[in-house]
Amino acid sequence: MAQGIKIMNSKEKQERLSQEKRLKKAWLLPKGWRYWSEVNNSEVGLWYTVTSLCFFFFAGILALLMRIQLAFPENNFLSADSYNQIFTMHGTVMMFLFAIPIFEAFSILLLPQMLGARDLPFPRLSAYGFWCFLIGGIFVCGSLFFGAAPKGGWFMYPPLTTSYQPGVGADIWLLGLTFIEVASIAAAVELIVGILKCRPPGMRINLIPIYAWYILIVAIMILFAFPPLIAGDVLLEMERAFNWPFFDTTRGGDPLLWQHLFWIFGHPEVYIIFLPSVALLATIIPTFSRLPLIGYSWVVLSAVGVGFLSFGLWVHHMFTTGLPGITLAIFSVASQAVAIPTGVQLFCFIATLVAGKFIHSVPMLFSLGGIITFVVGGLTGVMVAVVPFNFQAHDSFFIVGHLHYVLIGGSLFPILAGIYYYAPIVMGKKLSDIKGKWCFWIIFIGFNITFFPMHISGLLGMPRRVFTYPKEMGVSHLNLISTIGAFILASGFLILIWDLISSKLKKQHSERNPWKAGTLEWTMEIPDRMWGVRSIPKIKSRYPLWDQERFVEDVDQGKFYLPDAAEEMRETLITSPIDAVPQQCLRVPGPTFITHWAAFFTGGFFIFATYHWWTLAITSGVFALFSILYWLWTGSAWIPEKKVKDVGLNQTLPIYVSGPQAVGWWAMCITMLADFTAFISLIFGYFFYWTVREDFSDMTGSGPGIFWPVLSAILFILAYLGTRLSKNLNRKNHRKSFYSTLVISTLFSIFGITAIFMGPIIFNMDPTTHVYPAIVWVLVGWTGLHGFVGIIMQFYCLARRWAGKMTAEYDADITNVTLYFVFLALTSIVTSAVIAGFPELI
Amino acid sequence: MEPYSILNPAADASVTIYGVFKILLIVAIIIWFIFLALLLYATFFNPHHHDWIKSRRYIIGGGVIGPIILITLLVFYSLRPLPSLLKVPPKSRQIIVSGLQWWWRITYLHGQQKIETANEIWLPVDRPVEFILESEDVIHSFWVPALAGKIDMIPGRSNSLVFTPMKIGEYPGVCSEFCGASHSLMRFKVKVVSQSDFDQWLKKESRPIDSSLRPLNHVGGKLFVSHGCISCHTVRGVGTMGTVGPDLTHVGSRSEIASGALKNNLAALHRWIINPEKVKPESKMPSFNMIPKKDLEALTLWLKELK
């Protein structure tokens, strides 16, 4: 009997070893220079993190240069011009190249582990996003070394940035950052679909790790916050490049539209930066209280509340622009109200700490330091939300102090806590406790010495964004103190770098789950294995390592889902968004260089456009398009060799799904929501002009008429109906009628595009004369461009079917394209209604 | 002394705001210390397990009820003074201030008369004033910390800022919206004086220069015309008038030049005329380093005479 068990054990062991061999082969890292073709989340996430930390240090050095210049009154260390470039780049790099990317990087790196997934659903999309980010970031930062950097502030207010800064700097900002924002949105799509569809079986919506909840909220915020800025970028760049007068008051424009679009992005942006860090706190604090987070649902709901409210606060950045009292009052109340959900989250942490058993550790040191620092920033935030005080404090150094307390306390300290906390997973080594403490105290003290005096300088009347100040202002000593503090702060970061490098060089690996945490990611073996989890577990608790018996052993022994890679392909489990019921065994694509080409050519398009080298830009754009098509053609919607697959625990799942169960469908839907938000932002611009500017309505009669816009909407609706019909015909395997319907609806799309352009062409609308024709042209162009993309998609489906890569059964391509056409039809209906209806009819 | 400070308010608006600020500050400090105490209690003074049901009280009390009460009180308290800050009192004196890169065009509306000056504003004490704020190029912001909050100057719009100065004195102002290379060097002065001093000053400002200083009678005036200064600057009584640069009719009486970048003395005037770029980067004032030294001296002496 005993021998029998032994034999079985060794047989089992044999089996397990061969499973591991197959898993290893599937998830193998490419060797040599091909290493860079890897798309797996743990590599891309790591590159992403390291790159954004590099940008952080770069922007930090810029801050030191500014502090040297401001150390003494009337100092000559930097010229006005270089100071203005440097402060613009400091803000821009910290916001766009560090604060947002670092959270995306952390999430790409850690989310699969937290969700017990092998990878996120679109590894190549993450890789594409990363390479775009790297190229765009280097391009934007590099401009500084040629003295050609943007110098209009990170807020880029026109008309300073349209008519008064002729150089290439503003274009670098607009196009370089639009390029990076596209990458951010790509990451947001990846994270949303990942959290909704890649959770382990049993992880119902109430068991989602708190970190994932926050990331879900933040990623959704990105979808709605970034597009208004992209719309603004489009308008501003159109004015710079083609003289379309969106912000020129002499031709009907209005510079305030930019401020609205910028801050509709800019304020949620603060919370996009802040919430992921709160997520880290909410993950770290329970671990060191040895207690599940108290008030889980309170925290989630208040995070949702903050997310919602953050879209209704933007005007508090514009209190001094001369708005009516009632507007000021409404936005002031909303801005103060956001303190309530924020407070709920902090008090949930306090409650957890009170109830639990507090364990001293470096991550906790950073967390607590972050919280009390953030509370200072939060309280000064409520102060500046009070309109009368805002009139004084706005654009003074008081704000500089306030925002750094918010961002460093609310974001950077938790990020450092996260680095110390997650180092064992990411590097396989624990960071030093002693160096960690030194690092914390030096940064904490240096930070307060730097930024606390800034509140006082502000109250003494020092405005922001000044390259120098007179001695009579009486802020010389305060500025000198700030400068000294900045260098102390910087030296703390040197300790961090030292700690990271020396720990990386240490031979000894950390033990497994060194903090004795309860969350799923600590199931990870250290050093980690390329495949992530050995088997994808069934989850019954928010803290499975604390609550589920024999959890780690069962995972390790492959007792859960997908313990094997029988076909030696990369696979992960797709589940339903609410109840996490297994739906599909998703095969994710492996290493490739096509994403690099796609990123490279997309970058080329934006970079050449910056210099107005249109031929090169368009060529590069065409190459980007073809790279992306090739990538989709070879890397998506593979027809599997069998319909279903045994995923373990006596369950078989389909390998290929289409429609609302499929991750591709979700990605299309989410991307189009972001796209549609950008479109709605342009519509907002249209109505802004219509309500604010009297001369806008005076343009009645010069518009595109009613006939052509309406005709175009009808044609696009027909194109949508045709595409939908062809999808159904394909599903019924009516091959010929599928082809003919799809070709006919392609023709509808082409006529739709022609019709939408006919209006402004026939009426001879010149976009350089007035904002009215300009905004009509923008809407028409937007619709036309989307129609063009739609045509490419229709051809793609025709080709897929023809090549046998799409069949009646495996029809994800046409299903997703049909979804695209829903949004296209909506876009054209709204465009037509707006340009034909206002002010023509009303 | 910190002349730019909002902590030494000298007008009704700034006094009101200072009062609000003091209360906000005290409340904020109290809340912060309570929070710190809670956090320290929860961590260092309380290392053992507690009943977690009881701990939920922290969330409901500290996270929900407390902030809702406080924020409600705060909203009422903070919005109360807003109408008085925005309302224009009857019989306010109207002054148009227009922002340009990087100086201030100031126009007094005096009956039917428009009196233009630059970078220095005189106000009678205890009389309400309404500034009509405009911009001729980019966005600027008008801020005299000791007297009132700031309001932006936006092209295509005209904003209004009202206050009543309460103390005689000199109050410097700054541009507080980033407006390009020399944003930091866009300053001005507000001089609050007695009603009679003000009347006298305004009367003087409304007049052209003395006939003894005109080009026919004074070499400096002649040079001002022959070197082309008049194509940008107005000196009333000299001839055709440029409006690109500040009105210099009474420049000699101002305490500063180049919008607060330099004190108004002969050496500074020399510097400014010869190498404005050095004083104020990217300023529109061209360099006149080719002027013979003799001419330069005559010109600056004449400018100092324009009182």
Side-chain angles (χ1 to χ4, degrees), chain A residues 294-334:
Chain A
I294 292 183
Y296 172 91
S297 31
W298 286 90
V299 172
V300 173
L301 286 176
S302 49
V304 172
V306 169
F308 262 108
L309 271 179
S310 73
F311 282 87
L313 310 180
W314 81 88
V315 169
H316 75 212
H317 297 269
M318 300 164 65
F319 278 165
T320 62
T321 55
L323 295 163
I326 184 74
T327 314
L328 299 179
I330 290 169
F331 281 94
S332 171
V333 172

Side-chain angles (χ1 to χ4, degrees), chain A residues 472, chain B residues 189 254-257 260-269:
Chain A
E472 303 86 79
Chain B
K189 270 228 156 76
R254 297 179 199 152
S255 55
E256 286 167 339
I257 57 165
L262 295 171
K263 292 268 166 287
N264 189 1
N265 55 44
L266 285 176
L269 280 167

